[in-house]
Amino acid sequence: MDVKIGMDMRLWGEATGVAQLPVLETLAAQGYQGVEIPVCGQGRSALKLLRVALDDLGLEVTSSVRLPPQANPLAPDETARRAAVEYLCARVDESAVLGSKLLSGGLYQAQGVFSGKPHTDREWEWSRGCLREVAEYAAGMGVTLALEFQNRFDAYLINTAADVARMCRDIGLGNVGVLYNTFHAHLEEFNPARALPAAGEHLVHV
């Protein structure tokens, strides 16, 4: 396995651009091999310039996204669920422009939006349908979706490695996998090390 170490650029804000070039230069000089860039509508021109800078520095790139409340796969309102598909497909486009072959995050629901109840089978199916549609689109762009299970304070649909592996199985597409985030795992898994194998063959990013 070719393991590479990268840095999450959200440490320097939610909209990475050429203004963060000094940070990228420092990371490359320190020996990092890649960066994760949050995509949030920066614009194709800005992303193209950023890609040139990353290529010049020899930094590989992955991308990440957070769904806003108005674009929620779990919303009872069909308009909000449709908005989630469109929002994620737009982020897939941006990932492709950036040169990222992997888009990660809690793509299954809007972060921090709760119903006040345990998730329902209907919500699970709404999310599965959204993710499958986005994944089919992403496959045509050469992008893999890495689903990140999150702690109970950020999400209520998927909180463990076993949960997210189940969603991958239910979607049933080769370009959908698991992002294993050790921060969330230490909050939600009884034994994070033993929970890791639950991701199994679906594990694509740590």
Side-chain angles (χ1 to χ4, degrees):
M1 182 181 294
D2 185 16
V3 177
K4 296 185 177 180
I5 305 298
M7 179 65 75
D8 190 341
M9 289 299 294
R10 284 181 298 179
L11 289 170
W12 290 273
E14 289 292 333
T16 303
V18 292
Q20 281 74 41
L21 183 56
V23 175
L24 297 172
E25 291 173 339
T26 298
L27 292 174
Q30 290 176 339
Y32 286 95
Q33 298 155 304
V35 288
E36 187 153 288
I37 304 290
V39 285
C40 53
Q42 292 101 314
R44 294 179 67 90
S45 296
L47 291 172
K48 285 180 179 179
L49 288 173
L50 189 55
R51 180 173 182 173
V52 170
L54 292 168
D55 287 344
D56 287 345
L57 292 168
L59 290 171
E60 294 192 22
V61 61
T62 60
S63 50
S64 64
V65 63
R66 292 176 177 172
L67 279 163
Q70 66 272 21
N72 188 2
L74 305 188
D77 179 9
E78 185 177 356
T79 301
R81 299 199 303 272
R82 189 71 234 159
V85 173
E86 294 171 358
Y87 187 88
L88 287 173
C89 285
R91 305 295 80 81
V92 168
D93 287 340
E94 292 170 353
S95 297
V97 171
L98 192 56
S100 167
K101 296 182 180 180
L102 187 144
L103 175 62
S104 68
L107 314 181
Y108 42 84
Q109 75 163 92
Q111 187 171 0
V113 177
F114 298 92
S115 67
K117 304 174 183 178
H119 75 77
T120 65
D121 291 342
R122 176 176 290 184
E123 288 174 321
W124 184 273
E125 182 58 26
W126 282 339
S127 185
R128 187 205 65 81
C130 168
L131 290 169
R132 184 175 176 88
E133 185 173 347
V134 175
E136 288 173 343
Y137 179 79
M141 307 292 285
V143 174
T144 291
L145 305 182
L147 309 183
E148 175 187 35
F149 67 91
Q150 296 182 341
N151 70 77
R152 73 198 76 172
F153 306 107
D154 289 331
Y156 70 100
L157 186 73
I158 291 177
N159 300 120
T160 67
D163 291 339
V164 75
R166 174 193 163 201
M167 179 60 82
C168 291
R169 291 193 299 270
D170 285 358
I171 294 168
L173 295 175
N175 68 321
V176 180
V178 174
L179 161 59
Y180 191 93
N181 184 320
T182 58
F183 169 76
H184 294 294
H186 278 87
L187 288 174
E188 295 296 336
E189 302 284 9
F190 179 73
N191 186 318
R194 291 184 178 178
L196 183 56
E201 63 184 10
H202 302 292
L203 183 65
V204 294
H205 196 43
V206 177

